[in-house]
């Protein structure tokens, strides 16, 4: 399942670090974090999507504590 989310990230470098951290999580097929568009596209296993999404938010907040996402 692939979903788009509106996010708030402060810089392009942080977006790249967040993308890298999320891509390493189990269950993530693909992720794209765009600083310019302030969007994240997450592609994860259907049956575990909510679990993967919550883990993704935690990983993003470890990289940048100010990270915000509209669920």
């Amino acid at each position: 399942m692939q979903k788009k989310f509106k996010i708030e990230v402060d810089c392009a470098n942080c977006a790249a670090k967040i993308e890298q951290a999320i891509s390493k999580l189990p269950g993530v097929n693909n992720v794209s974090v765009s600083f310019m568009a302030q969007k994240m596209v997450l592609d994860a296993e259907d049956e575990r999507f909510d679990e993967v999404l919550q883990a993704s938010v935690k990983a993003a907040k470890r990289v940048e504590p100010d990270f915000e996402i509209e669920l």
Side-chain angles (χ1 to χ4, degrees):
M1 174 185 302
Q2 181 174 322
K3 286 190 178 181
K4 295 179 187 176
F5 299 94
K6 188 171 184 176
I7 61 168
E8 188 176 317
V9 63
D10 294 338
C11 68
N13 188 42
C14 293
K17 287 180 180 179
I18 290 168
E19 185 174 298
Q20 186 177 38
I22 293 173
S23 69
K24 294 178 182 177
L25 294 173
V28 174
N29 298 328
N30 192 22
V31 65
S32 173
V33 179
S34 173
F35 166 69
M36 293 299 288
Q38 294 287 298
K39 288 189 180 179
M40 176 176 82
V41 178
L42 179 63
D43 183 6
E45 298 172 3
D46 291 353
E47 60 277 353
R48 296 182 54 209
F49 191 86
D50 290 336
E51 175 187 335
V52 172
L53 177 59
Q54 294 306 317
S56 298
V57 172
K58 286 181 184 178
K61 286 192 177 277
R62 279 195 298 271
V63 172
E64 184 184 335
D66 294 336
F67 176 84
E68 294 292 330
I69 184 168
E70 288 184 24
L71 298 177

